[in-house]
Amino acid sequence: MLRFGAVSYLNTKPLVETLPQHLGRWGSLRLDLPSRLARDLAAGELDVALIPSIEYFRNQSDYEIVSTAAIACRGPVWSVRLLSRVPMRQVRTLALDEGSRTSAAMAQVLLHEMHGLTPRTVPFPIGSQADEIEADALLMIGDRAMHPARGTYREIWDLGDRWCRWTELPFVFAMWVARRDRIIEPGLARRIEQALDASRDEGIDRFESIAVREAAGQGLTNEDLHRYFAENLHFHLGPGERSGLETFRRKAASIGLISGSNPVPTKTISPAS
C-alpha cells in the first residue's frame, strides 16, 4: 500500500475530496502540515505527497512530479499576504508565517526583486498574533491572511497578485511529488497520476458543496469560499504553471534559498514509466 500525504489546509480540499475512494485498497491518505509532509517524504515515511514547491527543489534528485493537479494562482490569491508597518522598500525585518515554506521564499524573492532587499527573518508562530511580533513586515497565510488584519499597515501585498504582475507568470504553491524509488513498478506512475487527476477534476465539480460544508468553520460565507476556489486558486499544472515554477526556482536560487536544483521538467513522467 502506498502512503500519500496532503496538506491539511482549506486550499487542498478540492484536490482530496474523492481521493480516498480512488486510492481504494492500494493507497492510504494522511493530512498534515506542509513542513511535516516534506520531512516525511524526504525520510521515506511517505511515498507520494502534496508538498510545497520549494521543498521539491531541495530534494529534486529524489523526486518526480506525478500529476497535473496542483495548488497555484494566476492572479490575486487572497490567502497569502505580506503586511508591512513601514513602506515596503524600507523593510529590514520580516516575520515569516511558520505554516508555509514556499510562501516564505516567495516573499523574500519579491522583496529582493522589486526593492533589492534582503531582510532579516524572524519566526511568526502559528498560534501568535500579529501585534505580538516585532518586525517591519509580516507574512500571513491561510485564515489569518483571509480575514481583515488588525493593526496599522502602510502597505499590504497579495503575493499572488504581485508575483503574477511582476513575472507575468502563474505561481505554483504545491504539487504532487513521488519518491523515484517508490514508483519503479511498471504502470504504477500512471495509476497514481490517474487517481490524483481524477480526484482534482471531481473536486473542481464540487466547489459548491465543499464551500457549503467548510465555510462556516473558516468564518467565511459560502459565496466567499466558492469564489476563493473558483477565482483565486488554480488547480492545473499546465505549461504556464511550469514556466512560473521554473522562474521561481531560478530566482530562489539566485538569492541562496536553494542550491543545486535542476530545471523543472516540461511534463510529468511518461505513463509507461
Side-chain angles (χ1 to χ4, degrees):
M1 177 175 285
L2 288 178
R3 299 161 297 177
F4 287 71
V7 183
S8 56
Y9 289 168
L10 187 61
N11 57 11
T12 310
K13 299 297 183 182
L15 295 184
V16 300
E17 180 71 3
T18 63
L19 185 55
Q21 292 94 305
H22 286 285
L23 296 181
R25 296 183 178 180
W26 62 274
S28 61
L29 176 64
R30 189 184 95 204
L31 301 180
D32 212 329
L33 296 175
S35 58
R36 292 176 183 168
L37 295 176
R39 177 199 65 197
D40 291 350
L41 187 66
E45 296 177 12
L46 287 172
D47 305 306
V48 184
L50 183 70
I51 63 169
S53 55
I54 197 75
E55 297 301 329
Y56 165 70
F57 299 142
R58 289 171 176 160
N59 295 276
Q60 207 170 355
S61 61
D62 296 324
Y63 294 165
E64 287 279 5
I65 299 172
V66 289
S67 172
T68 62
I71 299 173
C73 72
R74 293 181 167 181
V77 71
W78 188 20
S79 57
V80 183
R81 290 181 177 176
L82 186 62
L83 300 92
S84 182
R85 294 162 172 154
V86 301
M88 206 65 78
R89 69 178 67 89
Q90 297 177 15
V91 170
R92 297 294 178 267
T93 53
L94 171 63
L96 298 176
D97 194 309
E98 290 186 330
S100 175
R101 298 178 180 181
T102 291
S103 297
M106 182 190 194
Q108 291 174 86
V109 164
L110 285 171
L111 287 172
H112 188 269
E113 286 275 317
M114 299 180 72
H115 293 304
L117 300 176
T118 308
R120 179 175 63 86
T121 61
V122 298
F124 186 3
I126 293 174
S128 299
Q129 300 298 316
D131 57 10
E132 301 171 355
I133 306 299
E134 294 186 11
D136 295 331
L138 303 97
L139 170 69
M140 298 184 188
I141 70 166
D143 180 66
R144 43 185 191 188
M146 296 172 80
H147 291 286
R150 297 178 180 178
T152 302
Y153 299 100
R154 296 288 296 274
E155 288 189 57
I156 298 177
W157 286 3
D158 179 304
L159 290 190
D161 184 52
R162 290 286 169 167
W163 172 270
C164 295
R165 288 176 181 271
W166 184 254
T167 66
E168 298 184 340
L169 290 167
F171 188 84
V172 179
F173 293 95
M175 60 271 194
W176 286 106
V177 168
R179 292 184 58 90
R180 281 199 176 102
D181 59 359
R182 304 298 170 85
I183 55 171
I184 57 176
E185 179 185 331
L188 182 57
R190 179 60 171 164
R191 188 178 189 184
I192 292 169
E193 181 182 16
Q194 289 175 331
L196 297 175
D197 288 1
S199 180
R200 182 268 320 278
D201 294 344
E202 291 164 1
I204 288 174
D205 288 340
R206 301 185 187 191
F207 280 166
E208 185 173 355
S209 61
I210 297 172
V212 169
R213 185 185 69 222
E214 302 288 341
Q218 301 294 327
L220 300 170
T221 66
N222 296 350
E223 293 77 11
D224 281 343
L225 186 50
H226 186 279
R227 190 179 304 113
Y228 174 59
F229 289 147
E231 299 179 10
N232 295 112
L233 297 178
H234 185 71
F235 296 100
H236 291 264
L237 186 64
E241 284 69 37
R242 288 179 184 272
S243 294
L245 197 58
E246 171 61 14
T247 297
F248 179 45
R249 183 194 68 82
R250 288 190 282 101
K251 292 182 182 298
S254 73
I255 60 173
L257 297 178
I258 58 172
S259 62
S261 60
N262 299 314
V264 175
T266 57
K267 60 182 180 179
T268 54
I269 55 180
S270 168
S273 62

